[in-house]
Amino acid sequence: MINNYFQRKIDSELQLWAKNHKRKTLLIRGARQVGKSSAVRQLGKSFKYFVEVNFDDEEELHKLFEQALTPHEICQRLSFYYQTPIIAGETLLFFDEIQQCKPALSKLRYFFEKYPELHLVAAGSLLEFAIEEMPSI
């Protein structure tokens, strides 16, 4: 298989973020088709496990974030859904196109508060509009 990944300046910043023990949940904003998702997938290769939730493609998962679940419970259900372990320190959890699921966007702060040891990255385009509607972000 040919690796067509184009190295980006953000790659080294993502590696530094992943190694930082005081890291926060990372939210990557930017225009469409600039490589946000590709850069996160590349970072995922440095983890034992990688789980990508694409809110554009998997609308059935929106309901999961509408429920009153803790971040640990959400991870348990995602782990079952994707048949991949979600283990702090070993798994990179990636929420792609998060602007499509406002309940998931609003839960990002709870992941940081209640499950800070988990490596969680969220990315999306046109996030400015979604964030404007959510003053807690």
Side-chain angles (χ1 to χ4, degrees):
M1 184 166 130
I2 299 173
N3 184 359
N4 291 331
Y5 182 72
F6 177 75
Q7 292 288 327
R8 294 168 174 82
K9 291 181 181 180
I10 194 173
D11 293 336
S12 59
E13 295 297 322
L14 290 173
Q15 287 292 336
L16 289 172
W17 169 84
K19 292 175 185 171
N20 185 347
H21 294 288
K22 294 181 180 182
R23 78 186 155 273
K24 295 181 178 181
T25 299
L26 183 61
L27 181 61
I28 302 175
R29 306 182 314 177
R32 295 188 61 75
Q33 303 295 316
V34 296
K36 297 179 301 294
S37 300
S38 296
V40 176
R41 288 184 195 113
Q42 186 70 17
L43 175 66
K45 293 178 181 180
S46 65
F47 285 80
K48 187 172 182 179
Y49 305 106
F50 177 69
V51 174
E52 179 176 348
V53 179
N54 186 315
F55 289 108
D56 221 10
D57 295 339
E58 298 166 300
E59 290 183 22
E60 68 274 11
L61 292 177
H62 291 218
K63 293 175 187 148
L64 176 66
F65 290 86
E66 293 168 0
Q67 300 174 31
L69 299 173
T70 68
H72 286 85
E73 292 168 327
I74 291 170
C75 287
Q76 287 173 341
R77 293 183 187 197
L78 289 173
S79 179
F80 180 77
Y81 182 85
Y82 288 103
Q83 295 295 295
T84 304
I86 297 177
I87 302 166
E90 295 183 16
T91 306
L92 176 61
L93 180 57
F94 177 35
F95 294 161
D96 199 12
E97 300 298 344
I98 196 165
Q99 77 280 356
Q100 298 295 333
C101 183
K102 289 189 177 99
L105 187 58
S106 69
K107 291 213 186 238
L108 289 180
R109 69 179 268 216
Y110 299 109
F111 274 88
F112 170 65
E113 292 172 359
K114 299 181 185 289
Y115 202 1
E117 62 275 17
L118 179 69
H119 289 82
L120 173 60
V121 176
S125 54
L126 302 174
L127 273 170
E128 290 74 20
F129 300 109
I131 290 173
E132 278 179 10
E133 298 172 16
M134 308 177 81
S136 66
I137 297 289

